[in-house]
Amino acid sequence: MTPFQKSVYRATMRVPKGSVTTYGRIAKSIGSLGAARAVGNVLNKNIDTVHIPCHRVVCANGKVGGYVHGQREKIRKLRHEGVVIKKGRVDESHIIDV
DNA sequence: GTTTTGACACCCG
DNA sequence: TCGGGTGCCAAAA
């Protein structure tokens, strides 16, 4: 596992339940500004959704983005944690910096 | 060493 | 608000 991937996973685990962050912000927080896309790639390769809450990572514009188990499932999980989602978009108030 | 691939971000019309 | 095009980055082939 590359150090970049470890950083991404660590950052992802920092996101508190009931809140979400964006790919770009994760990238910035681990010192790889502009690597939003690369971050997505890492999460995609990760199948270990049990140990890593990758469903709390969304797009900067509030769009949900993808998920290994399907977008539907991702949204369902988020709503389950109390995150408000309207028409496939996460409410801004839940998007935070870590 | 070079090319391809994405779970993005940003700008423009 | 929405779609399309462009730029960016790290990994894997």
Side-chain angles (χ1 to χ4, degrees), chain A residues 2-98:
Chain A
T2 72
F4 177 74
Q5 300 180 342
K6 268 198 309 184
S7 299
V8 172
Y9 294 138
R10 270 198 312 119
T12 303
M13 289 191 263
R14 286 205 292 275
V15 184
K17 175 163 120 2
S19 296
V20 298
T21 191
T22 73
Y23 297 94
R25 291 189 181 183
I26 290 268
K28 188 178 88 177
S29 74
I30 64 177
S32 295
L33 182 58
R37 222 165 168 177
V39 169
N41 264 312
V42 173
L43 295 182
N44 176 25
K45 291 174 184 172
N46 168 46
I47 323 285
D48 200 357
T49 60
V50 179
H51 307 292
I52 301 174
C54 45
H55 59 277
R56 295 185 194 149
V57 186
V58 301
C59 299
N61 54 20
K63 292 183 83 63
V64 177
Y67 192 55
V68 186
H69 294 224
Q71 211 179 56
R72 302 285 309 163
E73 186 61 12
K74 181 171 181 178
I75 294 177
R76 194 189 64 67
K77 275 178 156 310
L78 288 176
R79 290 194 39 173
H80 185 70
E81 297 183 353
V83 177
V84 179
I85 301 179
K86 304 169 191 172
K87 308 172 192 64
R89 320 265 173 97
V90 177
D91 189 275
E92 305 246 3
S93 62
H94 298 298
I95 305 176
I96 64 171
D97 275 322
V98 276

